[in-house]
mmCIF file of all heavy atoms in Angstrom:
data_model
loop_
_atom_site.group_PDB
_atom_site.id
_atom_site.type_symbol
_atom_site.label_atom_id
_atom_site.label_comp_id
_atom_site.label_asym_id
_atom_site.label_seq_id
_atom_site.Cartn_x
_atom_site.Cartn_y
_atom_site.Cartn_z
ATOM 1 N N ALA A 30 17.685 3.198 0.437
ATOM 2 C CA ALA A 30 16.389 2.596 0.752
ATOM 3 C C ALA A 30 15.989 1.665 -0.384
ATOM 4 O O ALA A 30 16.354 1.887 -1.543
ATOM 5 C CB ALA A 30 15.332 3.682 0.940
ATOM 6 N N LEU A 31 15.222 0.622 -0.061
ATOM 7 C CA LEU A 31 14.692 -0.298 -1.061
ATOM 8 C C LEU A 31 13.336 0.249 -1.513
ATOM 9 O O LEU A 31 12.462 0.515 -0.692
ATOM 10 C CB LEU A 31 14.540 -1.689 -0.457
ATOM 11 C CG LEU A 31 14.170 -2.815 -1.411
ATOM 12 C CD1 LEU A 31 15.220 -2.975 -2.503
ATOM 13 C CD2 LEU A 31 14.006 -4.118 -0.640
ATOM 14 N N VAL A 32 13.182 0.449 -2.829
ATOM 15 C CA VAL A 32 11.982 1.092 -3.365
ATOM 16 C C VAL A 32 11.286 0.146 -4.340
ATOM 17 O O VAL A 32 11.908 -0.378 -5.262
ATOM 18 C CB VAL A 32 12.343 2.419 -4.069
ATOM 19 C CG1 VAL A 32 11.098 3.068 -4.652
ATOM 20 C CG2 VAL A 32 13.050 3.357 -3.105
ATOM 21 N N PHE A 33 9.990 -0.075 -4.112
ATOM 22 C CA PHE A 33 9.133 -0.859 -4.995
ATOM 23 C C PHE A 33 8.209 0.127 -5.707
ATOM 24 O O PHE A 33 7.497 0.885 -5.052
ATOM 25 C CB PHE A 33 8.269 -1.848 -4.196
ATOM 26 C CG PHE A 33 9.043 -2.873 -3.432
ATOM 27 C CD1 PHE A 33 9.563 -2.584 -2.173
ATOM 28 C CD2 PHE A 33 9.244 -4.137 -3.956
ATOM 29 C CE1 PHE A 33 10.265 -3.529 -1.458
ATOM 30 C CE2 PHE A 33 9.948 -5.099 -3.243
ATOM 31 C CZ PHE A 33 10.462 -4.787 -1.995
ATOM 32 N N ARG A 34 8.219 0.098 -7.045
ATOM 33 C CA ARG A 34 7.352 1.000 -7.827
ATOM 34 C C ARG A 34 6.438 0.182 -8.731
ATOM 35 O O ARG A 34 6.880 -0.793 -9.344
ATOM 36 C CB ARG A 34 8.183 1.922 -8.707
ATOM 37 C CG ARG A 34 8.964 2.946 -7.956
ATOM 38 C CD ARG A 34 9.583 3.968 -8.921
ATOM 39 N NE ARG A 34 10.587 4.756 -8.268
ATOM 40 C CZ ARG A 34 10.357 5.767 -7.433
ATOM 41 N NH1 ARG A 34 9.114 6.089 -7.165
ATOM 42 N NH2 ARG A 34 11.338 6.428 -6.878
ATOM 43 N N SER A 35 5.189 0.608 -8.808
ATOM 44 C CA SER A 35 4.251 -0.061 -9.708
ATOM 45 C C SER A 35 4.707 0.143 -11.146
ATOM 46 O O SER A 35 5.260 1.180 -11.505
ATOM 47 C CB SER A 35 2.839 0.487 -9.513
ATOM 48 O OG SER A 35 2.791 1.868 -9.835
ATOM 49 N N HIS A 36 4.482 -0.890 -11.944
ATOM 50 C CA HIS A 36 4.830 -0.821 -13.367
ATOM 51 C C HIS A 36 3.716 -1.500 -14.157
ATOM 52 O O HIS A 36 3.918 -2.507 -14.823
ATOM 53 C CB HIS A 36 6.180 -1.507 -13.603
ATOM 54 C CG HIS A 36 6.672 -1.341 -15.011
ATOM 55 N ND1 HIS A 36 7.132 -0.141 -15.495
ATOM 56 C CD2 HIS A 36 6.753 -2.213 -16.030
ATOM 57 C CE1 HIS A 36 7.489 -0.295 -16.748
ATOM 58 N NE2 HIS A 36 7.260 -1.552 -17.110
ATOM 59 N N GLY A 37 2.529 -0.973 -13.997
ATOM 60 C CA GLY A 37 1.372 -1.512 -14.699
ATOM 61 C C GLY A 37 0.522 -2.406 -13.802
ATOM 62 O O GLY A 37 1.018 -3.046 -12.883
ATOM 63 N N TYR A 38 -0.761 -2.399 -14.085
ATOM 64 C CA TYR A 38 -1.736 -3.187 -13.343
ATOM 65 C C TYR A 38 -2.402 -4.158 -14.318
ATOM 66 O O TYR A 38 -2.471 -3.895 -15.510
ATOM 67 C CB TYR A 38 -2.800 -2.274 -12.728
ATOM 68 C CG TYR A 38 -2.256 -1.287 -11.722
ATOM 69 C CD1 TYR A 38 -1.617 -0.116 -12.128
ATOM 70 C CD2 TYR A 38 -2.377 -1.519 -10.362
ATOM 71 C CE1 TYR A 38 -1.120 0.795 -11.215
ATOM 72 C CE2 TYR A 38 -1.876 -0.620 -9.434
ATOM 73 C CZ TYR A 38 -1.254 0.538 -9.873
ATOM 74 O OH TYR A 38 -0.766 1.427 -8.964
ATOM 75 N N ALA A 39 -2.911 -5.272 -13.788
ATOM 76 C CA ALA A 39 -3.559 -6.266 -14.644
ATOM 77 C C ALA A 39 -4.734 -6.895 -13.915
ATOM 78 O O ALA A 39 -4.798 -6.899 -12.684
ATOM 79 C CB ALA A 39 -2.566 -7.347 -15.054
ATOM 80 N N LEU A 40 -5.637 -7.452 -14.710
ATOM 81 C CA LEU A 40 -6.774 -8.202 -14.196
ATOM 82 C C LEU A 40 -6.685 -9.605 -14.775
ATOM 83 O O LEU A 40 -6.604 -9.778 -15.993
ATOM 84 C CB LEU A 40 -8.092 -7.536 -14.621
ATOM 85 C CG LEU A 40 -9.367 -8.262 -14.211
ATOM 86 C CD1 LEU A 40 -9.503 -8.312 -12.690
ATOM 87 C CD2 LEU A 40 -10.577 -7.582 -14.838
ATOM 88 N N GLN A 41 -6.676 -10.594 -13.893
ATOM 89 C CA GLN A 41 -6.619 -12.001 -14.299
ATOM 90 C C GLN A 41 -8.033 -12.561 -14.271
ATOM 91 O O GLN A 41 -8.703 -12.532 -13.238
ATOM 92 C CB GLN A 41 -5.723 -12.784 -13.324
ATOM 93 C CG GLN A 41 -5.459 -14.204 -13.728
ATOM 94 C CD GLN A 41 -4.259 -14.310 -14.641
ATOM 95 O OE1 GLN A 41 -3.334 -13.533 -14.543
ATOM 96 N NE2 GLN A 41 -4.278 -15.285 -15.508
ATOM 97 N N VAL A 42 -8.491 -13.055 -15.431
ATOM 98 C CA VAL A 42 -9.797 -13.686 -15.537
ATOM 99 C C VAL A 42 -9.548 -15.082 -16.092
ATOM 100 O O VAL A 42 -9.273 -15.243 -17.279
ATOM 101 C CB VAL A 42 -10.745 -12.887 -16.467
ATOM 102 C CG1 VAL A 42 -12.102 -13.563 -16.543
ATOM 103 C CG2 VAL A 42 -10.881 -11.451 -16.000
ATOM 104 N N GLY A 43 -9.622 -16.089 -15.196
ATOM 105 C CA GLY A 43 -9.261 -17.449 -15.616
ATOM 106 C C GLY A 43 -7.802 -17.469 -16.035
ATOM 107 O O GLY A 43 -6.939 -17.001 -15.321
ATOM 108 N N TRP A 44 -7.519 -17.977 -17.208
ATOM 109 C CA TRP A 44 -6.144 -18.027 -17.707
ATOM 110 C C TRP A 44 -5.757 -16.747 -18.455
ATOM 111 O O TRP A 44 -4.609 -16.539 -18.816
ATOM 112 C CB TRP A 44 -5.947 -19.240 -18.620
ATOM 113 C CG TRP A 44 -6.941 -19.272 -19.753
ATOM 114 C CD1 TRP A 44 -8.154 -19.904 -19.747
ATOM 115 C CD2 TRP A 44 -6.848 -18.623 -21.012
ATOM 116 N NE1 TRP A 44 -8.816 -19.681 -20.930
ATOM 117 C CE2 TRP A 44 -8.029 -18.896 -21.742
ATOM 118 C CE3 TRP A 44 -5.881 -17.832 -21.621
ATOM 119 C CZ2 TRP A 44 -8.261 -18.408 -23.006
ATOM 120 C CZ3 TRP A 44 -6.123 -17.344 -22.903
ATOM 121 C CH2 TRP A 44 -7.299 -17.644 -23.571
ATOM 122 N N LEU A 45 -6.733 -15.858 -18.667
ATOM 123 C CA LEU A 45 -6.509 -14.638 -19.439
ATOM 124 C C LEU A 45 -6.027 -13.493 -18.539
ATOM 125 O O LEU A 45 -6.671 -13.172 -17.539
ATOM 126 C CB LEU A 45 -7.809 -14.239 -20.135
ATOM 127 C CG LEU A 45 -7.768 -13.088 -21.116
ATOM 128 C CD1 LEU A 45 -6.816 -13.391 -22.274
ATOM 129 C CD2 LEU A 45 -9.169 -12.810 -21.634
ATOM 130 N N ARG A 46 -4.904 -12.893 -18.911
ATOM 131 C CA ARG A 46 -4.352 -11.757 -18.161
ATOM 132 C C ARG A 46 -4.558 -10.502 -18.997
ATOM 133 O O ARG A 46 -4.012 -10.374 -20.094
ATOM 134 C CB ARG A 46 -2.867 -11.988 -17.886
ATOM 135 C CG ARG A 46 -2.222 -10.913 -17.081
ATOM 136 C CD ARG A 46 -0.721 -11.210 -16.952
ATOM 137 N NE ARG A 46 -0.063 -10.214 -16.185
ATOM 138 C CZ ARG A 46 0.109 -10.243 -14.876
ATOM 139 N NH1 ARG A 46 -0.319 -11.271 -14.187
ATOM 140 N NH2 ARG A 46 0.724 -9.267 -14.255
ATOM 141 N N LEU A 47 -5.325 -9.562 -18.463
ATOM 142 C CA LEU A 47 -5.659 -8.337 -19.195
ATOM 143 C C LEU A 47 -4.968 -7.135 -18.557
ATOM 144 O O LEU A 47 -5.280 -6.783 -17.417
ATOM 145 C CB LEU A 47 -7.183 -8.104 -19.166
ATOM 146 C CG LEU A 47 -8.047 -9.245 -19.681
ATOM 147 C CD1 LEU A 47 -9.499 -9.019 -19.320
ATOM 148 C CD2 LEU A 47 -7.866 -9.387 -21.177
ATOM 149 N N PRO A 48 -4.033 -6.503 -19.272
ATOM 150 C CA PRO A 48 -3.423 -5.288 -18.726
ATOM 151 C C PRO A 48 -4.497 -4.193 -18.604
ATOM 152 O O PRO A 48 -5.319 -4.031 -19.501
ATOM 153 C CB PRO A 48 -2.370 -4.892 -19.766
ATOM 154 C CG PRO A 48 -2.250 -6.049 -20.691
ATOM 155 C CD PRO A 48 -3.495 -6.869 -20.572
ATOM 156 N N LEU A 49 -4.487 -3.475 -17.485
ATOM 157 C CA LEU A 49 -5.458 -2.397 -17.301
ATOM 158 C C LEU A 49 -4.922 -1.111 -17.926
ATOM 159 O O LEU A 49 -3.742 -0.788 -17.753
ATOM 160 C CB LEU A 49 -5.736 -2.179 -15.812
ATOM 161 C CG LEU A 49 -6.419 -3.338 -15.090
ATOM 162 C CD1 LEU A 49 -6.543 -3.041 -13.609
ATOM 163 C CD2 LEU A 49 -7.786 -3.615 -15.689
ATOM 164 N N PRO A 50 -5.765 -0.383 -18.645
ATOM 165 C CA PRO A 50 -5.309 0.883 -19.225
ATOM 166 C C PRO A 50 -5.016 1.893 -18.106
ATOM 167 O O PRO A 50 -5.650 1.848 -17.045
ATOM 168 C CB PRO A 50 -6.496 1.331 -20.081
ATOM 169 C CG PRO A 50 -7.672 0.602 -19.550
ATOM 170 C CD PRO A 50 -7.163 -0.673 -18.944
ATOM 171 N N PRO A 51 -4.062 2.791 -18.312
ATOM 172 C CA PRO A 51 -3.687 3.759 -17.264
ATOM 173 C C PRO A 51 -4.868 4.538 -16.681
ATOM 174 O O PRO A 51 -4.884 4.813 -15.482
ATOM 175 C CB PRO A 51 -2.706 4.692 -17.973
ATOM 176 C CG PRO A 51 -2.112 3.840 -19.043
ATOM 177 C CD PRO A 51 -3.222 2.933 -19.496
ATOM 178 N N TRP A 52 -5.877 4.861 -17.479
ATOM 179 C CA TRP A 52 -7.007 5.640 -16.968
ATOM 180 C C TRP A 52 -7.850 4.854 -15.968
ATOM 181 O O TRP A 52 -8.631 5.424 -15.219
ATOM 182 C CB TRP A 52 -7.886 6.157 -18.113
ATOM 183 C CG TRP A 52 -8.521 5.079 -18.950
ATOM 184 C CD1 TRP A 52 -8.023 4.529 -20.086
ATOM 185 C CD2 TRP A 52 -9.765 4.417 -18.699
ATOM 186 N NE1 TRP A 52 -8.866 3.558 -20.565
ATOM 187 C CE2 TRP A 52 -9.962 3.476 -19.732
ATOM 188 C CE3 TRP A 52 -10.742 4.528 -17.710
ATOM 189 C CZ2 TRP A 52 -11.063 2.655 -19.801
ATOM 190 C CZ3 TRP A 52 -11.852 3.698 -17.777
ATOM 191 C CH2 TRP A 52 -12.011 2.782 -18.805
ATOM 192 N N LEU A 53 -7.652 3.521 -15.921
ATOM 193 C CA LEU A 53 -8.418 2.674 -15.016
ATOM 194 C C LEU A 53 -7.603 2.277 -13.780
ATOM 195 O O LEU A 53 -7.995 1.417 -13.024
ATOM 196 C CB LEU A 53 -8.883 1.422 -15.781
ATOM 197 C CG LEU A 53 -10.019 0.614 -15.193
ATOM 198 C CD1 LEU A 53 -11.249 1.474 -14.915
ATOM 199 C CD2 LEU A 53 -10.382 -0.521 -16.127
ATOM 200 N N THR A 54 -6.458 2.932 -13.569
ATOM 201 C CA THR A 54 -5.590 2.613 -12.429
ATOM 202 C C THR A 54 -5.492 3.820 -11.496
ATOM 203 O O THR A 54 -5.801 4.941 -11.892
ATOM 204 C CB THR A 54 -4.177 2.222 -12.900
ATOM 205 O OG1 THR A 54 -3.513 3.382 -13.401
ATOM 206 C CG2 THR A 54 -4.226 1.137 -13.964
ATOM 207 N N PRO A 55 -5.032 3.591 -10.263
ATOM 208 C CA PRO A 55 -4.916 4.707 -9.319
ATOM 209 C C PRO A 55 -3.721 5.621 -9.582
ATOM 210 O O PRO A 55 -3.597 6.669 -8.971
ATOM 211 C CB PRO A 55 -4.767 4.011 -7.974
ATOM 212 C CG PRO A 55 -4.153 2.702 -8.300
ATOM 213 C CD PRO A 55 -4.714 2.316 -9.642
ATOM 214 N N GLY A 56 -2.831 5.201 -10.457
ATOM 215 C CA GLY A 56 -1.619 5.983 -10.698
ATOM 216 C C GLY A 56 -0.394 5.211 -10.254
ATOM 217 O O GLY A 56 -0.406 3.981 -10.188
ATOM 218 N N ASP A 57 0.658 5.931 -9.936
ATOM 219 C CA ASP A 57 1.931 5.313 -9.559
ATOM 220 C C ASP A 57 1.980 5.039 -8.065
ATOM 221 O O ASP A 57 1.857 5.964 -7.252
ATOM 222 C CB ASP A 57 3.096 6.224 -9.953
ATOM 223 C CG ASP A 57 3.154 6.451 -11.448
ATOM 224 O OD1 ASP A 57 2.870 5.497 -12.198
ATOM 225 O OD2 ASP A 57 3.466 7.579 -11.868
ATOM 226 N N LEU A 58 2.174 3.783 -7.713
ATOM 227 C CA LEU A 58 2.297 3.384 -6.315
ATOM 228 C C LEU A 58 3.770 3.156 -6.018
ATOM 229 O O LEU A 58 4.475 2.497 -6.785
ATOM 230 C CB LEU A 58 1.508 2.109 -6.051
ATOM 231 C CG LEU A 58 1.545 1.636 -4.603
ATOM 232 C CD1 LEU A 58 0.167 1.195 -4.160
ATOM 233 C CD2 LEU A 58 2.547 0.523 -4.412
ATOM 234 N N THR A 59 4.239 3.710 -4.909
ATOM 235 C CA THR A 59 5.619 3.530 -4.476
ATOM 236 C C THR A 59 5.621 3.107 -3.017
ATOM 237 O O THR A 59 4.953 3.729 -2.184
ATOM 238 C CB THR A 59 6.425 4.841 -4.621
ATOM 239 O OG1 THR A 59 6.359 5.279 -5.972
ATOM 240 C CG2 THR A 59 7.877 4.638 -4.224
ATOM 241 N N VAL A 60 6.353 2.045 -2.712
ATOM 242 C CA VAL A 60 6.574 1.623 -1.333
ATOM 243 C C VAL A 60 8.070 1.711 -1.080
ATOM 244 O O VAL A 60 8.865 1.149 -1.837
ATOM 245 C CB VAL A 60 6.059 0.191 -1.079
ATOM 246 C CG1 VAL A 60 6.469 -0.293 0.296
ATOM 247 C CG2 VAL A 60 4.551 0.127 -1.237
ATOM 248 N N THR A 61 8.435 2.422 -0.023
ATOM 249 C CA THR A 61 9.841 2.618 0.321
ATOM 250 C C THR A 61 10.126 1.997 1.674
ATOM 251 O O THR A 61 9.390 2.223 2.640
ATOM 252 C CB THR A 61 10.180 4.125 0.358
ATOM 253 O OG1 THR A 61 9.811 4.699 -0.897
ATOM 254 C CG2 THR A 61 11.652 4.355 0.615
ATOM 255 N N HIS A 62 11.196 1.209 1.733
ATOM 256 C CA HIS A 62 11.640 0.559 2.966
ATOM 257 C C HIS A 62 12.989 1.176 3.327
ATOM 258 O O HIS A 62 13.973 0.948 2.629
ATOM 259 C CB HIS A 62 11.781 -0.945 2.731
ATOM 260 C CG HIS A 62 12.293 -1.695 3.910
ATOM 261 N ND1 HIS A 62 11.476 -2.467 4.685
ATOM 262 C CD2 HIS A 62 13.519 -1.779 4.456
ATOM 263 C CE1 HIS A 62 12.198 -3.016 5.655
ATOM 264 N NE2 HIS A 62 13.431 -2.604 5.530
ATOM 265 N N SER A 63 13.017 1.958 4.391
ATOM 266 C CA SER A 63 14.267 2.605 4.786
ATOM 267 C C SER A 63 14.654 2.203 6.201
ATOM 268 O O SER A 63 13.806 2.098 7.085
ATOM 269 C CB SER A 63 14.160 4.125 4.658
ATOM 270 O OG SER A 63 13.026 4.608 5.334
ATOM 271 N N ASP A 64 15.939 1.968 6.383
ATOM 272 C CA ASP A 64 16.458 1.533 7.676
ATOM 273 C C ASP A 64 16.655 2.740 8.581
ATOM 274 O O ASP A 64 17.158 3.779 8.148
ATOM 275 C CB ASP A 64 17.777 0.786 7.485
ATOM 276 C CG ASP A 64 18.206 0.092 8.760
ATOM 277 O OD1 ASP A 64 17.442 -0.775 9.232
ATOM 278 O OD2 ASP A 64 19.280 0.438 9.296
ATOM 279 N N LEU A 65 16.263 2.608 9.850
ATOM 280 C CA LEU A 65 16.414 3.690 10.816
ATOM 281 C C LEU A 65 17.500 3.391 11.843
ATOM 282 O O LEU A 65 17.748 4.200 12.723
ATOM 283 C CB LEU A 65 15.078 3.955 11.526
ATOM 284 C CG LEU A 65 13.908 4.327 10.610
ATOM 285 C CD1 LEU A 65 12.621 4.445 11.410
ATOM 286 C CD2 LEU A 65 14.207 5.612 9.867
ATOM 287 N N GLY A 66 18.114 2.208 11.728
ATOM 288 C CA GLY A 66 19.143 1.808 12.693
ATOM 289 C C GLY A 66 18.532 1.190 13.939
ATOM 290 O O GLY A 66 17.341 1.353 14.219
ATOM 291 N N GLY A 67 19.325 0.465 14.670
ATOM 292 C CA GLY A 67 18.873 -0.146 15.910
ATOM 293 C C GLY A 67 17.751 -1.142 15.738
ATOM 294 O O GLY A 67 16.972 -1.371 16.659
ATOM 295 N N GLY A 68 17.631 -1.743 14.554
ATOM 296 C CA GLY A 68 16.589 -2.739 14.304
ATOM 297 C C GLY A 68 15.267 -2.149 13.829
ATOM 298 O O GLY A 68 14.339 -2.882 13.533
ATOM 299 N N ALA A 69 15.161 -0.820 13.764
ATOM 300 C CA ALA A 69 13.915 -0.178 13.324
ATOM 301 C C ALA A 69 13.990 0.158 11.837
ATOM 302 O O ALA A 69 15.065 0.385 11.293
ATOM 303 C CB ALA A 69 13.665 1.091 14.127
ATOM 304 N N PHE A 70 12.826 0.176 11.193
ATOM 305 C CA PHE A 70 12.753 0.565 9.791
ATOM 306 C C PHE A 70 11.417 1.233 9.513
ATOM 307 O O PHE A 70 10.456 1.070 10.252
ATOM 308 C CB PHE A 70 12.976 -0.622 8.857
ATOM 309 C CG PHE A 70 11.971 -1.729 9.010
ATOM 310 C CD1 PHE A 70 10.830 -1.774 8.226
ATOM 311 C CD2 PHE A 70 12.174 -2.744 9.932
ATOM 312 C CE1 PHE A 70 9.902 -2.803 8.359
ATOM 313 C CE2 PHE A 70 11.248 -3.780 10.079
ATOM 314 C CZ PHE A 70 10.115 -3.809 9.291
ATOM 315 N N ARG A 71 11.376 2.007 8.445
ATOM 316 C CA ARG A 71 10.159 2.717 8.046
ATOM 317 C C ARG A 71 9.654 2.160 6.713
ATOM 318 O O ARG A 71 10.418 1.976 5.782
ATOM 319 C CB ARG A 71 10.438 4.206 7.889
ATOM 320 C CG ARG A 71 9.221 5.015 7.431
ATOM 321 C CD ARG A 71 9.550 6.491 7.241
ATOM 322 N NE ARG A 71 10.191 7.078 8.393
ATOM 323 C CZ ARG A 71 9.580 7.464 9.515
ATOM 324 N NH1 ARG A 71 8.265 7.323 9.619
ATOM 325 N NH2 ARG A 71 10.250 7.984 10.511
ATOM 326 N N PHE A 72 8.348 1.908 6.663
ATOM 327 C CA PHE A 72 7.668 1.547 5.426
ATOM 328 C C PHE A 72 6.762 2.721 5.060
ATOM 329 O O PHE A 72 5.948 3.147 5.882
ATOM 330 C CB PHE A 72 6.804 0.289 5.619
ATOM 331 C CG PHE A 72 7.289 -0.899 4.869
ATOM 332 C CD1 PHE A 72 8.349 -1.648 5.339
ATOM 333 C CD2 PHE A 72 6.695 -1.283 3.680
ATOM 334 C CE1 PHE A 72 8.799 -2.760 4.648
ATOM 335 C CE2 PHE A 72 7.131 -2.388 2.985
ATOM 336 C CZ PHE A 72 8.193 -3.130 3.468
ATOM 337 N N THR A 73 6.907 3.221 3.857
ATOM 338 C CA THR A 73 6.073 4.326 3.393
ATOM 339 C C THR A 73 5.394 3.907 2.094
ATOM 340 O O THR A 73 6.056 3.435 1.177
ATOM 341 C CB THR A 73 6.922 5.589 3.142
ATOM 342 O OG1 THR A 73 7.611 5.910 4.347
ATOM 343 C CG2 THR A 73 6.049 6.763 2.726
ATOM 344 N N LEU A 74 4.081 4.067 2.043
ATOM 345 C CA LEU A 74 3.295 3.800 0.847
ATOM 346 C C LEU A 74 2.788 5.141 0.327
ATOM 347 O O LEU A 74 2.289 5.957 1.106
ATOM 348 C CB LEU A 74 2.109 2.898 1.183
ATOM 349 C CG LEU A 74 1.107 2.643 0.059
ATOM 350 C CD1 LEU A 74 0.644 1.200 0.083
ATOM 351 C CD2 LEU A 74 -0.071 3.571 0.131
ATOM 352 N N GLU A 75 2.933 5.350 -0.981
ATOM 353 C CA GLU A 75 2.447 6.586 -1.576
ATOM 354 C C GLU A 75 1.867 6.287 -2.951
ATOM 355 O O GLU A 75 2.460 5.533 -3.723
ATOM 356 C CB GLU A 75 3.589 7.588 -1.687
ATOM 357 C CG GLU A 75 3.148 8.962 -2.118
ATOM 358 C CD GLU A 75 4.263 9.984 -1.986
ATOM 359 O OE1 GLU A 75 5.324 9.785 -2.607
ATOM 360 O OE2 GLU A 75 4.065 10.968 -1.265
ATOM 361 N N ILE A 76 0.704 6.873 -3.236
ATOM 362 C CA ILE A 76 0.090 6.751 -4.554
ATOM 363 C C ILE A 76 -0.046 8.151 -5.136
ATOM 364 O O ILE A 76 -0.645 9.032 -4.507
ATOM 365 C CB ILE A 76 -1.291 6.069 -4.500
ATOM 366 C CG1 ILE A 76 -1.160 4.656 -3.928
ATOM 367 C CG2 ILE A 76 -1.922 6.027 -5.889
ATOM 368 C CD1 ILE A 76 -2.475 3.932 -3.759
ATOM 369 N N VAL A 77 0.517 8.330 -6.330
ATOM 370 C CA VAL A 77 0.459 9.621 -7.010
ATOM 371 C C VAL A 77 -0.198 9.418 -8.376
ATOM 372 O O VAL A 77 0.265 8.609 -9.181
ATOM 373 C CB VAL A 77 1.875 10.221 -7.182
ATOM 374 C CG1 VAL A 77 1.801 11.540 -7.954
ATOM 375 C CG2 VAL A 77 2.539 10.423 -5.826
#
């Protein structure tokens, strides 16, 4: 399966990019794309 995992969050204000501290984020976000065959696939979003 193809897995996308969050690796930090940021806030862009004008040209300034500010990394958000971990306590100000929802945690780890994972999106998984898995093939089910026959043209079907599953997308799963999970935040831990």
Side-chain angles (χ1 to χ4, degrees):
L31 188 60
V32 179
F33 298 84
R34 291 189 194 283
S35 62
H36 186 71
Y38 298 79
L40 177 64
Q41 187 88 31
V42 181
W44 55 268
L45 187 61
R46 182 184 180 90
L47 305 168
L49 295 176
W52 62 268
L53 198 54
T54 71
D57 298 322
L58 182 137
T59 303
V60 172
T61 305
H62 177 105
S63 52
D64 191 61
L65 301 175
F70 60 93
R71 178 182 308 282
F72 247 79
T73 303
L74 174 141
E75 188 170 58
I76 300 177
V77 177

